[in-house]
Amino acid sequence: MADRRAVLIPGRGYDTRYPLFAYLGEALRRTGFDVHEISWQVPDRFAPDADGPDAAVEWVEGQVRPTLDAPTDLLVGKSLGSMAAALAADRGLPAVWLTPLVHGPEVVEALGRAEAPFLLVGGGADPSWDGVVARRLTPHVLEIPDADHRLMVPGPLARSAEMLGRVCTAVEEFVQRS
């Protein structure tokens, strides 16, 4: 029986059924978590660049907040899901942010005020990633050189699968220390 609860928060085009979440969910279950997966349908007219980042944060928080009525021990969010960083900070929740939007001040500000530990995972070829900012915010960083926003790397697919394994190991180690 799991004694902790993790909430998985999808990205805009990367839901919790995709490989990264499938393997991370299994890694979390093996380390004693019950896993709750958020499923959402991003509105067709969703345009954070046009509507402003506050609208995106409000929409994401509106999707995540109801799941936090149940006791929660960890948030795991991908990309757009990292706009829930303020919820994690406000509630003192440890978190794992996969390809977080650290190019945006609203995510960086929320991460900067977090008191609970968090792990940032990003790729060197991802325009939304900034490794310098990530390492300034937390000592818990996994940066995968050449990885894109999906954490895929060029070359044979087996190399991307290796990176998936590295991400799972980093998350397992993080939650065992946290």
Side-chain angles (χ1 to χ4, degrees), residues 84-142:
L87 285 175
D90 293 345
R91 294 170 185 247
L93 293 173
V96 174
W97 302 113
L98 309 165
T99 65
L101 304 178
V102 294
H103 67 291
E106 50 289 326
V107 172
V108 172
E109 183 277 324
L111 293 172
R113 62 185 176 80
E115 294 184 18
F118 57 91
L119 169 65
L120 298 178
V121 179
D126 179 358
S128 68
W129 176 255
D130 185 328
V132 172
V133 170
R135 286 183 286 283
R136 188 185 80 230
L137 292 166
T138 180
H140 309 289
V141 175
L142 173 60

Side-chain angles (χ1 to χ4, degrees), residues 55-176:
V57 169
E58 183 178 323
W59 185 84
V60 169
E61 287 183 353
Q63 301 299 305
V64 175
R65 193 176 289 109
T67 67
L68 301 181
D69 289 343
T72 301
D73 302 288
L74 179 71
L75 294 183
V76 180
K78 167 107 174 63
S79 185
L80 179 63
S82 69
M83 290 193 160
L87 285 175
D90 293 345
R91 294 170 185 247
L93 293 173
V96 174
W97 302 113
L98 309 165
T99 65
L101 304 178
V102 294
H103 67 291
E106 50 289 326
V107 172
V108 172
E109 183 277 324
L111 293 172
R113 62 185 176 80
E115 294 184 18
F118 57 91
L119 169 65
L120 298 178
V121 179
D126 179 358
S128 68
W129 176 255
D130 185 328
V132 172
V133 170
R135 286 183 286 283
R136 188 185 80 230
L137 292 166
T138 180
H140 309 289
V141 175
L142 173 60
E143 183 171 349
I144 300 171
D146 302 324
D148 63 16
H149 193 64
R150 297 171 301 144
L151 296 177
M152 302 289 279
V153 295
L157 189 56
R159 289 190 60 229
S160 292
E162 275 181 50
M163 296 308 108
L164 176 61
R166 286 185 58 200
V167 173
C168 289
T169 298
V171 171
E172 288 168 335
E173 291 172 353
F174 174 76
V175 298
Q176 289 169 352

Side-chain angles (χ1 to χ4, degrees), residues 2-83:
D3 58 350
R4 300 183 288 175
R5 180 175 185 257
V7 173
L8 306 184
I9 309 166
R12 181 176 187 148
Y14 198 100
D15 75 23
T16 58
R17 295 171 295 180
Y18 281 43
L20 187 56
F21 278 117
Y23 280 92
L24 283 180
E26 182 60 25
L28 291 170
R29 286 180 196 90
R30 290 180 182 202
T31 55
F33 282 88
D34 178 40
V35 175
H36 176 83
E37 300 175 15
I38 292 177
S39 178
W40 64 32
Q41 180 66 43
V42 177
D44 289 338
R45 298 190 57 109
F46 187 75
D49 294 334
D51 299 334
D54 291 342
V57 169
E58 183 178 323
W59 185 84
V60 169
E61 287 183 353
Q63 301 299 305
V64 175
R65 193 176 289 109
T67 67
L68 301 181
D69 289 343
T72 301
D73 302 288
L74 179 71
L75 294 183
V76 180
K78 167 107 174 63
S79 185
L80 179 63
S82 69
M83 290 193 160

